[in-house]
Amino acid sequence: GFQMQCFAFAGGHELLHGNAFRTKWINNVVSFCVGTAFFEILRHERLMHKQHHTFTLNIDKDPELTSFYSRKELEDLKFKSVPISRYSYFRQFINVLSYFQHRMMRLISSSLGIATDYTGIGWSMKTPREDIDKSVLRDLQFCCLLQLTVYIAVFSTLGNTVEGIKSLLFWWIAPCIIGYGPINFFRNAEHADCDFTNNQLHNTRTVESNRFIRWLLWETNFHAEHHTYPMVPFFNLPVLHEMMNDHIK
């Protein structure tokens, strides 16, 4: 399950940036397959991820902040984008069903052609939703309708017997859900407790690790390097790290 979510999180991330393959259409096709297989809504993520890169740690415009933190929390001068208690920190690892609920809400709203933040039910950023290009919304709607169709086809075909349901749960759904908790350990490290500034070398964290973890994460642990030069392919991030390491806070 952890390996599946590593591929969904890190692999999906590189596919969204167009860094996994040289050809755009191959990135798009594989991105759809990966997102569908691991319950990621990657077309929606592309929309949110652009906001995140443009407005990293901006309390008004970064959807990774505005979607799940209240205005009171965001405007607190002591806010550091980290859980406020041990229980809150632990809950981020076990409350995976809530995350998947929001994913399903994003899938449904996107299938209706409605752009939302990560909650799937609203638009919390102060960038106008109306500014989203109509072609982007049409592409979002088409891909999410297709993804929803695949799920309906799979569950209606393989989930019409008890044995089929058990197989889907054991081999597919349960591993995806269980694997999501551990991957949060790496996701949280990217920006938590970093400086609220426009400087990508200060608002993003690089985490050095061993070759195996780096392989699992597609080298995305070099996150400050990636935010500074987002079009550098993942396999070149270690080289970029050697060049930039002395400048990263």
Side-chain angles (χ1 to χ4, degrees):
F2 175 65
Q3 188 172 10
M4 292 168 69
Q5 284 298 335
C6 280
F7 198 89
F9 163 59
H13 173 268
E14 289 304 299
L15 288 162
L16 287 181
H17 278 278
N19 293 340
F21 301 96
R22 291 183 179 180
T23 309
K24 181 179 179 180
W25 73 266
I26 297 179
N27 280 293
N28 287 338
V29 171
V30 178
S31 171
F32 174 79
C33 294
V34 168
T36 303
F38 302 126
F39 300 102
E40 288 276 2
I41 321 302
L42 288 180
R43 265 304 191 277
H44 177 273
E45 177 61 27
R46 176 178 289 174
L47 183 64
M48 292 295 97
H49 201 63
K50 181 181 179 181
Q51 283 270 133
H52 168 63
H53 265 271
T54 306
F55 305 110
T56 305
L57 291 189
N58 184 311
I59 64 170
D60 296 318
K61 298 178 180 180
D62 185 348
E64 292 194 4
L65 296 182
T66 63
S67 296
F68 297 112
Y69 290 102
S70 68
R71 290 307 305 176
K72 181 179 180 181
E73 290 174 311
L74 291 174
E75 293 172 358
D76 189 336
L77 296 178
K78 296 181 180 180
F79 178 74
K80 285 291 186 180
S81 185
V82 292
I84 59 176
S85 66
R86 290 183 180 179
Y87 170 73
S88 298
Y89 186 83
F90 182 65
R91 189 176 61 182
Q92 291 193 354
F93 294 90
I94 64 173
N95 195 23
V96 294
L97 292 178
S98 175
Y99 289 108
F100 277 87
Q101 178 186 349
H102 287 299
R103 287 189 189 185
M104 291 302 103
M105 293 302 296
R106 295 200 294 270
L107 179 61
I108 293 170
S109 60
S110 297
S111 297
L112 295 172
I114 302 171
T116 65
D117 59 18
Y118 282 116
T119 64
I121 56 175
W123 185 265
S124 55
M125 296 79 73
K126 290 188 178 181
T127 49
R129 180 159 36 184
E130 295 75 20
D131 288 352
I132 302 174
D133 192 275
K134 298 294 184 183
S135 63
V136 173
L137 286 177
R138 286 194 297 269
D139 180 66
L140 173 69
Q141 183 176 23
F142 172 78
C143 291
C144 287
L145 279 172
L146 186 59
Q147 187 169 346
L148 193 59
T149 301
V150 171
Y151 290 144
I152 293 172
V154 169
F155 284 102
S156 61
T157 303
L158 302 178
N160 53 6
T161 64
V162 174
E163 289 301 316
I165 293 173
K166 287 182 179 179
S167 295
L168 287 173
L169 286 172
F170 184 80
W171 295 108
W172 186 25
I173 300 173
C176 279
I177 293 176
I178 294 171
Y180 190 77
I183 201 67
N184 271 347
F185 178 79
F186 299 98
R187 297 170 73 113
N188 291 346
E190 294 176 347
H191 300 285
D193 203 22
C194 289
D195 294 347
F196 287 80
T197 173
N198 292 329
N199 189 332
Q200 301 287 353
L201 300 178
H202 294 176
N203 63 21
T204 307
R205 177 179 291 105
T206 279
V207 179
E208 296 184 350
S209 188
N210 59 65
R211 288 181 179 270
F212 178 67
I213 295 298
R214 285 167 45 194
W215 175 75
L216 281 177
L217 293 176
W218 291 47
E219 308 286 2
T220 56
N221 53 291
F222 298 120
H223 210 60
E225 294 83 350
H226 164 70
H227 261 256
T228 308
Y229 298 102
M231 298 313 295
V232 172
F234 66 96
F235 49 83
N236 281 333
L237 288 177
V239 178
L240 186 59
H241 172 68
E242 293 298 323
M243 299 170 63
M244 294 179 56
N245 193 34
D246 290 340
H247 303 282
I248 300 173
K249 183 175 179 179

